[in-house]
Amino acid sequence: MNRLGYLPIALVLAALAATPFFVASNSVLNFIVFVLIITLTAQGWNLLGGVGGQSSFGHAAFFGTGAYVSAILQARFGVNAWAALAIAIAFGAVVGWIIGFLSFRAGLRGSYFALVTLAFAEVLRILANATGFTGGAAGLLLKLDIGFWNMQFSSRAAFLWLALGFVGIGLIISQRIANSRFGAQLVAVRENEDAARALGVDVLAVKLKAITVSAALTAAAGCLYLQYFLYIDANIAYGLWISVEALLAPMVGGRGLVLGPIIGAFTLHGLGEATKLLAGRVPGIDLTIYGVVLVLVVAFAPGGVLGLLQKLGLRRRPRPVPQLKGAE
């Protein structure tokens, strides 16, 4: 196992964990918590769409399932928040497996798979919006009851560390997959499914495993969103916005790279917040910045921010001086 790959992960996690000791602003802590939730969602997408090459436009289906299952269990049945979290993640994984089985068994890939995932997310949004058990259009509101067992904290720093813990788990899972046989199989499937199948790779099983893990991570992000804001409705949980966030962050940070989602999420939202401060609260200005950044990345840095940094680093390395054979 290449343990050096975990060093950048440890440094990033340590830097973010230390932030509350140096920053007292609630606005900054709120920003970091929200970006960490987006990062966890993007980590789920990156495993399936970045490493596995199965681009999804409907990761809101998993995000919303995690959020709604956790909310229903707590609000309707009084289930403990931590138990509800575990059950919601399992539900999200099952939904991912079902969508994957129906899609991959039918041979869908590329844009067809992307559109099917978008359709599933939209169907779930409509059902959640029209069903009384989910709160309908009014959504579900959790009672404010600060306490560890309710996963509600008086300090924003405590929730930041909780969200960072989940992101850390996502980073470790991503790094382990990158160093594993399963990761190699995912890359093989991404590059050429027919060639991978010819080499003995069970393409369907690999894809199903990828979408299941991806959905579980994204469902966990939905649970964290619910616990932080204590409210969820269909347009938030299953809205197109979260699917867009899920795919934008890895593309900007570095699609298929372990640290790509977290770099991309902080880059996008950091630029968005900086633009709001400079240009004022102009409606949609952050979305405009997202669009401009995406166009620039696609045009000039298809490998994302990390890919661009790697290229610049390679260019700056001195080339070895050629040696003549036989020279003393």
Side-chain angles (χ1 to χ4, degrees):
M1 181 185 295
N2 181 16
R3 297 185 182 277
L4 290 177
Y6 292 93
L7 180 59
I9 293 175
L11 293 175
V12 169
L13 294 179
L16 289 172
T19 302
F21 296 108
F22 301 98
V23 177
S25 170
N26 286 332
S27 297
V28 174
L29 296 180
N30 281 333
F31 169 78
I32 295 175
V33 169
F34 181 74
V35 174
L36 288 175
I37 293 173
I38 297 300
T39 297
L40 187 58
T41 307
Q43 286 176 323
W45 187 96
N46 194 47
L47 175 61
L48 180 66
V51 181
Q54 312 302 314
S55 296
S56 162
F57 286 173
H59 257 56
F62 315 134
F63 183 92
T65 297
Y68 261 111
V69 169
S70 181
I72 290 170
L73 288 174
Q74 293 181 70
R76 305 288 190 197
F77 301 104
V79 176
N80 173 270
W82 295 96
L85 169 70
I87 296 171
I89 292 174
F91 262 84
V94 170
V95 169
W97 187 92
I98 292 173
I99 293 176
F101 182 80
L102 295 175
S103 303
F104 298 141
R105 192 64 184 270
L108 299 180
R109 65 176 77 174
S111 58
Y112 295 102
F113 174 71
L115 291 174
V116 164
T117 56
L118 178 62
F120 272 108
E122 185 63 14
V123 168
L124 290 173
R125 186 191 69 80
I126 293 171
L127 290 175
N129 198 52
T131 306
F133 193 67
T134 60
L140 287 172
L141 180 67
L142 294 186
K143 183 177 69 172
L144 178 63
D145 188 6
I146 295 175
F148 175 81
W149 295 110
N150 295 322
M151 210 184 298
Q152 297 180 25
F153 309 99
S154 57
S155 168
R156 287 176 172 81
F159 204 95
L160 185 151
W161 291 323
L162 174 65
L164 187 61
F166 275 92
V167 169
I169 292 171
L171 287 170
I172 293 171
I173 290 173
S174 299
Q175 185 63 38
R176 288 184 66 87
I177 289 175
N179 297 331
S180 69
R181 179 183 178 86
F182 172 59
Q185 291 174 335
L186 264 179
V187 173
V189 170
R190 179 189 70 196
E191 296 301 323
N192 192 318
E193 287 190 20
D194 295 329
R197 191 177 289 108
L199 291 173
V201 176
D202 189 339
V203 173
L204 178 60
V206 168
K207 286 183 176 181
L208 286 177
K209 187 176 179 180
I211 196 172
T212 301
V213 177
S214 173
L217 289 173
T218 309
C223 295
L224 291 179
Y225 184 96
L226 168 73
Q227 294 301 139
Y228 193 66
F229 293 100
L230 300 179
Y231 172 77
I232 204 77
D233 66 18
N235 291 323
I236 293 174
Y238 292 114
L240 183 61
W241 74 277
I242 192 62
S243 294
V244 173
E245 293 273 9
L247 65 90
L248 271 183
M251 292 182 69
V252 171
R255 181 173 179 170
L257 301 177
V258 173
L259 291 175
I262 192 168
I263 298 298
F266 273 96
T267 299
L268 278 173
H269 287 275
L271 287 173
E273 290 301 316
T275 304
K276 287 179 182 178
L277 289 175
L278 295 174
R281 295 288 172 175
V282 179
I285 187 66
D286 54 335
L287 297 178
T288 303
I289 293 299
Y290 294 173
V292 171
V293 170
L294 182 60
V295 169
L296 292 176
V297 167
V298 171
F300 302 105
V305 173
L306 289 179
L308 182 61
L309 292 177
Q310 289 176 356
K311 285 184 178 180
L312 293 175
L314 289 174
R315 288 177 182 176
R316 290 180 180 178
R317 288 182 183 176
R319 295 183 179 179
V321 178
Q323 299 291 333
L324 295 175
K325 290 184 178 181
E328 294 294 334

